[in-house]
Amino acid sequence: MLNPLSLNRIGVNEVIRLRDLLEQPAQHVCLLAPYRDRLEENEPLSRQVNAHLVAMNLTLHDSGFALVIVNGDKVNVQILSVARHNIMFWHEAVQRIAKPLGCAQVDRVLVTRTYDGWLVFGEER
């Protein structure tokens, strides 16, 4: 999982690989945004992840994000709060280095803080 305090230490325009923040091994990471508490069916991991999300009855509201961490057949979900971390699903300031994160190999996931303070997770371009 991810120590949420490590997100608070990311400086403006600093780009960090998510794997460097994780406290356990992971192969893939998915980002769920408010009101999007299931993966799209075209995502390769959707069957495995969505089954887990349904079993745990996950519901994300207007200020909830979730990181889904997949390692083999193990799925973990970590809820992140917008209020606590100032998270935004996408921001134009990161489009040069990353694209919006659905699911990606953990080595391709970047985390950055934009000039106006938003924390953004993205997949490396």
Side-chain angles (χ1 to χ4, degrees), residues 15-16 40 54-55 60 72 75-76 89 92 99 107 122-123 125:
V15 179
I16 306 289
E40 299 291 330
V54 168
L60 295 174
V75 176
N76 288 304
F89 181 73
E92 63 191 25
K99 57 187 178 182
D107 291 337
E123 182 179 357
R125 285 199 181 272

Side-chain angles (χ1 to χ4, degrees), residues 1 6 9 11 17 23 26 58-59 69 71 77 94 104 107 113:
M1 300 297 274
S6 64
R9 294 185 204 116
R17 292 206 178 268
E23 297 177 339
L58 177 71
T59 302
I69 300 163
N71 193 32
V77 178
V94 301
D107 291 337
R113 188 166 307 279

Side-chain angles (χ1 to χ4, degrees), residues 34 57 66 70 72 87 91 99-100 102:
N57 198 27
V70 181
I87 300 171
H91 194 289
K99 57 187 178 182

Side-chain angles (χ1 to χ4, degrees), residues 50-94:
N50 286 344
H52 183 82
L53 298 173
V54 168
M56 67 180 286
N57 198 27
L58 177 71
T59 302
L60 295 174
H61 297 289
D62 61 343
S63 64
F65 282 79
L67 280 179
V68 180
I69 300 163
V70 181
N71 193 32
D73 61 351
K74 188 173 182 178
V75 176
N76 288 304
V77 178
Q78 185 166 7
I79 306 297
L80 301 171
S81 165
V82 170
R84 194 172 286 157
H85 300 292
N86 210 26
I87 300 171
M88 181 179 271
F89 181 73
W90 186 243
H91 194 289
E92 63 191 25
V94 301

